Amino acid sequence: MAAALPGTAPMIEVRDLHKRFGHLEVLRGVSLAVQPSEKLVVLGPSGSGKSTLLRLMIGLEEPDQGEILVEGQPFLRREAPGKPLQRGPRFKSLRRDMGMVFQQFSLFPHMTVLENLILAPTKVLGMARPEAEARARALLAKVGLADKLQQYPDKLSGGQKQRASIARALMMEPKLMLFDEVTSALDPELIHEVLRVMRQLASEGMTMVVVTHEMGFASKVADRVVFMDQGMIVEQGPPEQIFRQPRERRTAEFIEAVLTHI
């Protein structure tokens, strides 16, 4: 696990997060801190609250109760259900420091890959188009898509679309990347393309929170693995502990069930 330096705030910290959708309680008092450069993998069955946790971290959902800090700065806070939501004074700038890649490809279909990548930097950051294009070309080369910059998304394979989505998120030079089951919609032979890019990011020191069922990736890349079930963190620890000597029966049952299907 990436150790925190003395006096260094976590890259992101969630405290006592609660979230409901109607009668369904999706998160029940989740607390978690991710240190700079840490690679955190979140595992759990469908409906355990993993994706909701990521969406709360980046401000796409609002907590019913709890607090989120980014680099020690207030990001989102609600004291109790029914109380007003409080956004930190640096909410927008802190949000720009985070990138997220979703399960379903989120590229704009009417734009080329290049246009998809330069949209946010030019519109949000005010970056000059030549600079944005140069950055886009470099990032597309990094993810193995140097020859696809003028293609439209419908001409790309699923793996290529997901790699383009990663490159688009990196255009904003985020300090933290969130990945929400980014390989689950891919054919098996395309999964390795995306995982290779994610492993490269990890090796370069990017802080990452990854929701995935890819056990091989988790065991090789993660500094820490968190297992969630029914809206709570059941267990967390280094990969070797979670996969080989889980302390909780529910964790062991989940790991065994997943591994028997690999």
Side-chain angles (χ1 to χ4, degrees), residues 9-11 67-76 88-90 94:
M11 179 65 70
E67 183 177 19
I68 303 170
L69 304 171
V70 178
E71 294 188 296
Q73 301 294 310
F75 184 63
L76 284 174
R90 294 187 56 217
L94 292 173

mmCIF file of all heavy atoms in Angstrom, residues 9-11 67-76 88-90 94:
data_model
loop_
_atom_site.group_PDB
_atom_site.id
_atom_site.type_symbol
_atom_site.label_atom_id
_atom_site.label_comp_id
_atom_site.label_asym_id
_atom_site.label_seq_id
_atom_site.Cartn_x
_atom_site.Cartn_y
_atom_site.Cartn_z
ATOM 1 N N ALA A 9 -2.288 14.856 3.285
ATOM 2 C CA ALA A 9 -3.699 14.465 3.313
ATOM 3 C C ALA A 9 -3.941 13.357 2.305
ATOM 4 O O ALA A 9 -3.251 13.263 1.280
ATOM 5 C CB ALA A 9 -4.584 15.670 2.988
ATOM 6 N N PRO A 10 -4.916 12.476 2.563
ATOM 7 C CA PRO A 10 -5.296 11.495 1.548
ATOM 8 C C PRO A 10 -5.702 12.199 0.250
ATOM 9 O O PRO A 10 -6.183 13.332 0.261
ATOM 10 C CB PRO A 10 -6.496 10.779 2.174
ATOM 11 C CG PRO A 10 -6.349 10.990 3.654
ATOM 12 C CD PRO A 10 -5.722 12.353 3.793
ATOM 13 N N MET A 11 -5.514 11.509 -0.863
ATOM 14 C CA MET A 11 -5.968 12.068 -2.136
ATOM 15 C C MET A 11 -7.479 12.267 -2.107
ATOM 16 O O MET A 11 -7.996 13.294 -2.555
ATOM 17 C CB MET A 11 -5.584 11.135 -3.296
ATOM 18 C CG MET A 11 -6.043 11.625 -4.654
ATOM 19 S SD MET A 11 -5.246 13.173 -5.153
ATOM 20 C CE MET A 11 -3.574 12.599 -5.460
ATOM 21 N N GLU A 67 -19.516 12.873 4.375
ATOM 22 C CA GLU A 67 -18.583 13.917 3.947
ATOM 23 C C GLU A 67 -17.542 13.324 3.018
ATOM 24 O O GLU A 67 -17.110 12.184 3.190
ATOM 25 C CB GLU A 67 -17.909 14.521 5.182
ATOM 26 C CG GLU A 67 -16.973 15.667 4.909
ATOM 27 C CD GLU A 67 -16.407 16.265 6.177
ATOM 28 O OE1 GLU A 67 -16.441 15.582 7.227
ATOM 29 O OE2 GLU A 67 -15.930 17.410 6.125
ATOM 30 N N ILE A 68 -17.140 14.113 2.019
ATOM 31 C CA ILE A 68 -16.072 13.740 1.102
ATOM 32 C C ILE A 68 -15.042 14.858 1.087
ATOM 33 O O ILE A 68 -15.389 16.041 0.913
ATOM 34 C CB ILE A 68 -16.605 13.494 -0.323
ATOM 35 C CG1 ILE A 68 -17.697 12.422 -0.315
ATOM 36 C CG2 ILE A 68 -15.458 13.076 -1.253
ATOM 37 C CD1 ILE A 68 -18.432 12.292 -1.627
ATOM 38 N N LEU A 69 -13.775 14.497 1.271
ATOM 39 C CA LEU A 69 -12.660 15.441 1.227
ATOM 40 C C LEU A 69 -11.740 15.046 0.080
ATOM 41 O O LEU A 69 -11.491 13.855 -0.148
ATOM 42 C CB LEU A 69 -11.870 15.423 2.536
ATOM 43 C CG LEU A 69 -12.649 15.693 3.836
ATOM 44 C CD1 LEU A 69 -11.779 15.412 5.042
ATOM 45 C CD2 LEU A 69 -13.147 17.134 3.862
ATOM 46 N N VAL A 70 -11.210 16.017 -0.638
ATOM 47 C CA VAL A 70 -10.237 15.784 -1.700
ATOM 48 C C VAL A 70 -8.976 16.544 -1.342
ATOM 49 O O VAL A 70 -9.023 17.776 -1.192
ATOM 50 C CB VAL A 70 -10.781 16.224 -3.075
ATOM 51 C CG1 VAL A 70 -9.721 16.011 -4.151
ATOM 52 C CG2 VAL A 70 -12.057 15.457 -3.414
ATOM 53 N N GLU A 71 -7.879 15.835 -1.152
ATOM 54 C CA GLU A 71 -6.616 16.432 -0.707
ATOM 55 C C GLU A 71 -6.809 17.292 0.541
ATOM 56 O O GLU A 71 -6.226 18.367 0.677
ATOM 57 C CB GLU A 71 -5.970 17.238 -1.834
ATOM 58 C CG GLU A 71 -5.528 16.373 -3.004
ATOM 59 C CD GLU A 71 -4.720 17.137 -4.026
ATOM 60 O OE1 GLU A 71 -5.274 18.059 -4.644
ATOM 61 O OE2 GLU A 71 -3.527 16.822 -4.196
ATOM 62 N N GLY A 72 -7.655 16.807 1.426
ATOM 63 C CA GLY A 72 -7.910 17.500 2.683
ATOM 64 C C GLY A 72 -8.869 18.662 2.586
ATOM 65 O O GLY A 72 -9.214 19.268 3.609
ATOM 66 N N GLN A 73 -9.331 18.977 1.373
ATOM 67 C CA GLN A 73 -10.245 20.090 1.163
ATOM 68 C C GLN A 73 -11.692 19.593 1.138
ATOM 69 O O GLN A 73 -11.974 18.546 0.564
ATOM 70 C CB GLN A 73 -9.932 20.795 -0.164
ATOM 71 C CG GLN A 73 -8.524 21.345 -0.262
ATOM 72 C CD GLN A 73 -8.280 22.475 0.716
ATOM 73 O OE1 GLN A 73 -9.064 23.409 0.797
ATOM 74 N NE2 GLN A 73 -7.182 22.394 1.449
ATOM 75 N N PRO A 74 -12.630 20.345 1.723
ATOM 76 C CA PRO A 74 -14.033 19.921 1.688
ATOM 77 C C PRO A 74 -14.557 19.883 0.257
ATOM 78 O O PRO A 74 -14.364 20.835 -0.507
ATOM 79 C CB PRO A 74 -14.752 20.974 2.535
ATOM 80 C CG PRO A 74 -13.827 22.142 2.587
ATOM 81 C CD PRO A 74 -12.446 21.601 2.478
ATOM 82 N N PHE A 75 -15.212 18.782 -0.083
ATOM 83 C CA PHE A 75 -15.747 18.580 -1.433
ATOM 84 C C PHE A 75 -17.271 18.531 -1.392
ATOM 85 O O PHE A 75 -17.947 19.370 -1.976
ATOM 86 C CB PHE A 75 -15.158 17.295 -2.024
ATOM 87 C CG PHE A 75 -15.554 17.028 -3.456
ATOM 88 C CD1 PHE A 75 -15.188 17.898 -4.466
ATOM 89 C CD2 PHE A 75 -16.271 15.888 -3.792
ATOM 90 C CE1 PHE A 75 -15.552 17.652 -5.791
ATOM 91 C CE2 PHE A 75 -16.623 15.620 -5.103
ATOM 92 C CZ PHE A 75 -16.266 16.506 -6.106
ATOM 93 N N LEU A 76 -17.816 17.552 -0.676
ATOM 94 C CA LEU A 76 -19.261 17.439 -0.484
ATOM 95 C C LEU A 76 -19.540 17.059 0.965
ATOM 96 O O LEU A 76 -18.807 16.257 1.555
ATOM 97 C CB LEU A 76 -19.861 16.367 -1.403
ATOM 98 C CG LEU A 76 -20.058 16.690 -2.882
ATOM 99 C CD1 LEU A 76 -20.530 15.447 -3.623
ATOM 100 C CD2 LEU A 76 -21.031 17.840 -3.079
ATOM 101 N N GLY A 88 -17.920 22.284 -1.164
ATOM 102 C CA GLY A 88 -16.751 23.037 -0.731
ATOM 103 C C GLY A 88 -16.481 24.210 -1.652
ATOM 104 O O GLY A 88 -16.889 24.214 -2.822
ATOM 105 N N PRO A 89 -15.756 25.218 -1.168
ATOM 106 C CA PRO A 89 -15.471 26.404 -1.986
ATOM 107 C C PRO A 89 -14.659 26.088 -3.244
ATOM 108 O O PRO A 89 -14.719 26.839 -4.216
ATOM 109 C CB PRO A 89 -14.703 27.323 -1.028
ATOM 110 C CG PRO A 89 -14.195 26.441 0.062
ATOM 111 C CD PRO A 89 -15.187 25.335 0.196
ATOM 112 N N ARG A 90 -13.926 24.970 -3.237
ATOM 113 C CA ARG A 90 -13.130 24.573 -4.407
ATOM 114 C C ARG A 90 -13.742 23.377 -5.120
ATOM 115 O O ARG A 90 -13.049 22.629 -5.811
ATOM 116 C CB ARG A 90 -11.697 24.258 -3.981
ATOM 117 C CG ARG A 90 -10.905 25.444 -3.449
ATOM 118 C CD ARG A 90 -9.452 25.055 -3.231
ATOM 119 N NE ARG A 90 -8.865 24.543 -4.450
ATOM 120 C CZ ARG A 90 -7.980 23.532 -4.479
ATOM 121 N NH1 ARG A 90 -7.613 22.935 -3.363
ATOM 122 N NH2 ARG A 90 -7.489 23.115 -5.618
ATOM 123 N N LEU A 94 -11.607 21.010 -7.655
ATOM 124 C CA LEU A 94 -11.271 19.679 -7.150
ATOM 125 C C LEU A 94 -11.859 18.599 -8.054
ATOM 126 O O LEU A 94 -11.228 17.568 -8.291
ATOM 127 C CB LEU A 94 -11.785 19.513 -5.719
ATOM 128 C CG LEU A 94 -11.089 20.360 -4.644
ATOM 129 C CD1 LEU A 94 -11.822 20.230 -3.313
ATOM 130 C CD2 LEU A 94 -9.627 19.972 -4.493
#
